[in-house]
Amino acid sequence: MKAEDELRAVASEVRGCEACKLHLSRKNAVPGEGPAASELMFIGEGPGFHENEQGRPFVGAAGKYLDELLAKIGLSREQVFIGNVVKCRPPGNRDPLPEEIQACAGYLERQVNAIQPRVIVTLGRFSMARYFPNTRISDIHGQARLVNGRMVVAMYHPAAALHQPSLRREIEADFARLPELIQRAAPTASETEPKAPPQQLNLF
Ligand code: URA
Ligand code: SF4
């Protein structure tokens, strides 16, 4: 299946999903959005108030800050995929429960497999835990690590960083490294291009 079609299929399944009890209190499920060919994929925690109202990811205060962070590195949200660990809002913005994360995990997996991003950025500890269980975000944020051959970078959640000057500095420094990491994660020429025939050199 083409990546666009798979993303559309996931989004439509998510909107009708009743696999965990978060479906009972949602107004709109938030499947996530962005181009199928995104090189960069952000994974947040779950929809908050505004996301639940609009059915779109990161459209509240944290989302505005995410837009600013992207702009500082010359990107806009239209160029990246933005998703979440759980697609329906936990009531009162409580933490998602392990069984809710588990119930929703297959959708995120399908999104990652369809997009095949060069770099995944986890925002906050719930998406971090999916790739780096038993780690602390303060220990590993901003570090590029390979998980099953894909580059994953854990970062603070923009909502946490927004009001905390020290975390703000950290997340901005971590974002500043992303352009270089995306380049480093790029497939090398030898992976994408047919091998050139051996060159004939006439030295004399
Ligand atoms: N916080 C998140 O983790 N995800 C959103 O979509 C919005 C806020
Ligand atoms: Fe389904 Fe995920 Fe929503 Fe739970 S949070 S109802 S698993 S889409």
Side-chain angles (χ1 to χ4, degrees), residues 172-193:
E172 287 175 16
D174 291 347
F175 259 74
R177 295 190 55 224
L178 276 175
E180 184 220 319
L181 293 180
I182 295 166
Q183 283 315 308
R184 233 209 282 166
T188 59
S190 62
E191 287 173 58
T192 53
E193 288 161 20

Side-chain angles (χ1 to χ4, degrees), residues 13-24 26 29-30 47 85-89 99-105 107:
E13 286 174 48
V14 161
R15 289 195 191 96
C17 179
E18 300 185 351
C20 83
K21 63 184 181 318
L22 291 181
H23 84 275
L24 295 168
R26 77 179 171 221
V30 182
V85 165
V86 293
K87 317 298 194 197
C88 303
R89 182 193 185 205
E99 60 264 33
E100 294 161 353
I101 293 172
Q102 180 61 37
C104 214
Y107 298 125

Side-chain angles (χ1 to χ4, degrees), residues 2-204:
K2 272 177 56 194
E4 288 86 0
D5 296 337
E6 172 71 345
L7 289 181
R8 253 193 300 276
V10 170
S12 125
E13 286 174 48
V14 161
R15 289 195 191 96
C17 179
E18 300 185 351
C20 83
K21 63 184 181 318
L22 291 181
H23 84 275
L24 295 168
S25 50
R26 77 179 171 221
K27 183 165 179 182
N28 290 294
V30 182
E33 61 191 35
S38 300
E39 295 183 341
L40 193 51
M41 180 170 184
F42 291 90
I43 308 176
E45 180 176 323
F49 176 84
H50 296 282
E51 291 77 22
N52 181 51
E53 291 297 310
Q54 298 182 36
R56 300 187 57 207
F58 281 93
V59 289
K64 282 213 177 63
Y65 186 41
L66 180 59
D67 288 344
E68 280 177 42
L69 290 165
L70 285 168
K72 279 179 203 276
I73 56 169
L75 290 173
S76 68
R77 73 157 56 213
E78 289 74 27
Q79 295 174 285
V80 302
F81 192 91
I82 305 177
N84 281 301
V85 165
V86 293
K87 317 298 194 197
C88 303
R89 182 193 185 205
N93 296 348
R94 66 157 169 77
D95 290 348
L97 300 172
E99 60 264 33
E100 294 161 353
I101 293 172
Q102 180 61 37
C104 214
Y107 298 125
L108 185 54
E109 193 169 312
R110 285 167 62 192
Q111 290 171 322
V112 172
N113 286 339
I115 296 166
Q116 299 282 343
R118 285 189 191 173
V119 179
I120 290 175
V121 175
T122 63
L123 300 170
R125 60 204 163 92
F126 291 96
S127 50
M128 176 185 72
R130 186 187 157 88
Y131 296 97
F132 311 114
N134 309 311
T135 51
R136 290 150 53 112
I137 199 158
S138 55
D139 289 338
I140 68 158
H141 72 88
Q143 296 176 9
R145 301 187 169 201
L146 283 184
V147 179
N148 299 327
R150 191 185 314 281
M151 190 182 286
V152 184
V153 191
M155 295 198 192
Y156 287 106
H157 195 289
L162 191 52
H163 303 294
Q164 224 168 312
S166 63
L167 296 190
R168 231 182 132 112
R169 274 194 299 277
E170 305 272 18
I171 199 175
E172 287 175 16
D174 291 347
F175 259 74
R177 295 190 55 224
L178 276 175
E180 184 220 319
L181 293 180
I182 295 166
Q183 283 315 308
R184 233 209 282 166
T188 59
S190 62
E191 287 173 58
T192 53
E193 288 161 20
K195 285 241 185 320
Q199 253 187 312
Q200 304 282 334
L201 282 185
N202 287 327
L203 293 177
F204 302 102

